[in-house]
Amino acid sequence: MPGMTTVREAVFALLRDFGLNTIFGNPGSTELPMYRDFPADFRYVLGLQESVVVAMADGFAQARGTAALVNLHSAIGVGHAVGSLFTAYRNHSPLVITAGQQARSILPFEPFLYSAEATNLPRPYVKWGCEPARAEDVPAAIARAVFTALQPPRGPTFVSIPVDDWDRPCTPTPMREVSHRVAGDPVLLSRAAAMLGAAQRPVLVAGASVARDQAWDDLIALAERHTAPVWVSPLSSRNSFPERHALFAGFLPADREQIVARLAGRDLIVVLGAPVFTYHVEGHGPHIPDGAALVQLTDDPAASARAPAGLSIVTDLKLGIRALLAGPAPAPARAAPALPPRTRALPPDRLSDRYLLQQLAALRPPDSIVVEEAPSSRGAMHDYLPMLEPDSFYTCASGGLGHGLPAAVGIALGRPGRRVIALLGDGSAMYSIQGLWSAAELALPVTFVIVNNGGYRALDEFAPHFGLTALPGTLLPHLDFCALARAQGVEAVRASRCAELDAALPMAFAARGPVLVEVCVEQGK
């Protein structure tokens, strides 16, 4: 028929229009017809396990600030990927997940490798899911998935595609333009700006959406205009403010009482691009200090709806912060807050994680990007490895392990020419160690730094909260990360002393391809 094409041809034309010519996947039989006559201008990025595939795409999407495309294998592939899908959902990463399904004609017979209730399997960690009723509806479903993934708050979407759909005829889906930026209510933003101008002791709390909405410079301008200290929101997954700025106050803990204590004495708390608040332990009492008012700017309506206090405004963060900047200036001159004390330089006498972080800060390339998943070393990172430039730090918003290593691979793909440093705990790295193979095959400039402390130390540190003095299943003896790396094509070196570390890091940063540095750190202060 005139104007008809196959579903496969229509889908690839649509993906090309969206700029989605990189496909992250691990192929299976129910996806094979998709790849017949695979277009030369498309790239297939292979991961050796589906959770690795989704985490690579997550890093790629965050690094580029746009959607990324993932292809998974039916039910089992989606099942393998759900942990990373949960993290992508919490990261607000715009992923378009497609998954194979068995042929429509045999679905009533529950065939081998089919997916029962395919759209329910990835829920609730996708914003929208669909298995089109007809083959010819597949291109339109993918277009909707892309637009929905990019709408704030961004996040994953899902389309299940029966294997026999790809060769069916359909009408091409025309490309459309859809706006994704949401401006907040001008009346409420004006009220918030007036509250900020009138406050005597305001404080700002910055979250990951400031980075996602590229409002780094705007936040600096707002803090300086109002001489307001800036805290990082609890467990923020991005860097949103320079950590050596005179107004940088530090990192809020994920603990209600401690947050209230740190914000005590402030008459206005302005939370920008973060929930109010993310907690990790049970707490009691008020969520903000007595006598303080609260304003929240967020791109997430759900975060706005659950805020326990104050005025909450749903808005793009760049647009919202600029509206606050347009408000009245503070009337009295405000004194600059006292700076938190700087950490003292550590001598090269023992290889602790603090010394490692200090040397990473001193030796890393100036435009490098840090991807962190080393929970037990996060405090040392805050003290010794400050993030000074925008879009230079990424971590996992979900707390689920296994994201950091493959996410670093995706970020290196999305930010070519930049050195990526993956700072990983030994336990964390083992969740997705096969991601090293993808880094080697793609010859990416990633330095994998494994903090080998011999176990799940973050659990040991958290145990006293529950009154525990000993835990089973937290020791990780006999792991050889250098051998694991070399087996997958990645050059590797081990450091057990300060001098060995100081020699290994410059080599690893100068290499053209991936290098793993296993750092055997001493325990204790």
Side-chain angles (χ1 to χ4, degrees):
M1 295 177 61
M4 301 293 280
T5 185
T6 66
V7 168
R8 179 178 55 257
E9 291 166 341
V11 166
F12 275 106
L14 187 65
L15 295 174
R16 189 176 288 113
D17 288 340
F18 278 119
L20 297 177
N21 61 351
T22 297
I23 302 174
F24 294 86
N26 182 276
S29 56
T30 53
E31 296 78 58
L32 292 181
M34 176 183 180
Y35 298 112
R36 183 180 290 118
D37 301 321
F38 190 63
D41 59 328
F42 277 69
R43 171 176 58 176
Y44 190 93
V45 178
L46 174 62
L48 300 186
Q49 206 265 5
E50 287 88 348
S51 64
V52 169
V53 167
V54 171
M56 287 195 298
D58 184 343
F60 185 74
Q62 290 194 68
R64 297 179 73 226
T66 188
L69 180 65
V70 179
N71 185 233
L72 302 176
H73 178 46
S74 192
I76 190 64
V78 176
H80 284 159
V82 165
S84 288
L85 190 60
F86 169 62
T87 292
Y89 179 79
R90 294 300 301 267
N91 285 347
H92 294 300
S93 295
L95 303 186
V96 178
I97 311 286
T98 62
Q101 173 65 293
Q102 269 288 9
R104 292 177 185 271
S105 63
I106 58 174
L107 285 178
F109 308 106
E110 298 194 4
F112 190 64
L113 291 178
Y114 92 116
S115 183
E117 301 184 39
T119 59
N120 285 332
L121 181 55
R123 295 186 189 277
Y125 304 121
V126 293
K127 295 176 63 181
W128 178 78
C130 174
E131 184 172 275
R134 307 178 304 163
E136 50 265 47
D137 296 330
V138 169
I142 290 177
R144 179 174 176 180
V146 174
F147 289 130
T148 304
L150 289 169
Q151 288 171 347
R154 293 178 166 192
T157 55
F158 177 80
V159 182
S160 172
I161 306 171
V163 66
D164 53 341
D165 282 5
W166 293 103
D167 293 314
R168 298 288 179 86
C170 73
T171 302
T173 299
M175 185 62 179
R176 299 179 291 123
E177 289 188 272
V178 176
S179 172
H180 302 298
R181 302 190 75 181
V182 176
D185 185 321
V187 174
L188 293 182
L189 285 169
S190 179
R191 186 199 304 176
M195 292 171 66
L196 183 56
Q200 298 297 307
R201 300 174 303 281
V203 62
L204 308 180
V205 178
S209 287
V210 172
R212 283 193 288 268
D213 290 345
Q214 300 180 333
W216 171 278
D217 291 333
D218 306 280
L219 177 55
I220 293 173
L222 185 69
E224 291 177 349
R225 185 170 196 241
H226 292 277
T227 321
V230 179
W231 287 90
V232 175
S233 65
L235 302 174
S236 181
S237 61
R238 299 281 294 273
N239 63 313
S240 299
F241 193 79
E243 295 171 16
R244 284 291 184 261
H245 191 284
L247 292 170
F248 179 70
F251 300 85
L252 287 179
D255 179 294
R256 186 190 303 189
E257 288 92 343
Q258 291 189 46
I259 290 171
V260 170
R262 281 163 173 73
L263 301 180
R266 297 291 168 179
D267 59 350
L268 178 66
I269 302 163
V270 182
V271 178
L272 301 167
V276 182
F277 291 98
T278 298
Y279 301 130
H280 188 34
V281 295
E282 186 180 12
H284 304 281
H287 295 272
I288 59 175
D290 291 340
L294 184 139
V295 170
Q296 179 193 36
L297 271 59
T298 176
D299 62 347
D300 186 351
S304 175
R306 68 176 182 265
L311 168 64
S312 184
I313 305 169
V314 177
T315 181
D316 173 276
L317 270 297
K318 180 180 280 290
L319 298 177
I321 293 173
R322 287 186 174 180
L324 298 183
L325 282 166
R334 294 169 177 157
L339 282 172
R342 292 285 183 90
T343 53
R344 298 179 62 181
L346 299 172
D349 56 359
R350 57 185 301 270
L351 186 49
S352 63
D353 61 349
R354 296 184 301 161
Y355 184 82
L356 164 63
L357 275 298
Q358 172 184 279
Q359 298 308 96
L360 281 176
L363 300 173
R364 71 184 181 112
D367 62 346
S368 56
I369 298 168
V370 174
V371 182
E372 178 266 331
E373 193 179 287
S376 61
S377 296
R378 192 161 293 155
M381 182 188 70
H382 291 164
D383 290 340
Y384 289 95
L385 181 59
M387 302 302 154
L388 307 177
E389 302 295 332
D391 295 322
S392 61
F393 174 76
Y394 299 81
T395 190
C396 166
S398 70
L401 301 183
H403 170 78
L405 192 155
V409 175
I411 288 169
L413 276 172
R415 303 282 286 278
R418 301 282 293 274
R419 169 62 56 175
V420 174
I421 302 168
L423 177 66
L424 310 167
D426 48 359
S428 300
M430 288 305 298
Y431 279 75
S432 52
I433 195 68
Q434 60 269 64
L436 294 174
W437 180 88
S438 297
E441 291 299 305
L442 296 164
L444 295 172
V446 183
T447 301
F448 299 96
V449 179
I450 308 294
V451 186
N452 189 342
N453 55 27
Y456 296 116
R457 296 297 177 188
L459 292 180
D460 292 334
E461 294 169 4
F462 201 66
H465 176 78
F466 296 105
L468 302 176
T469 57
L471 288 175
T474 60
L475 298 180
L476 297 174
H478 314 308
L479 285 174
D480 187 340
F481 286 96
C482 291
L484 288 167
R486 293 182 188 119
Q488 298 180 73
V490 174
E491 185 180 352
V493 61
R494 179 180 289 109
S496 301
R497 297 181 301 169
C498 294
E500 293 172 343
L501 176 70
D502 293 344
L505 290 179
M507 178 277 294
F509 294 150
R512 298 185 64 178
V515 178
L516 183 142
V517 181
E518 180 180 2
V519 186
C520 300
V521 298
E522 299 180 25
Q523 299 305 303
K525 298 294 184 180

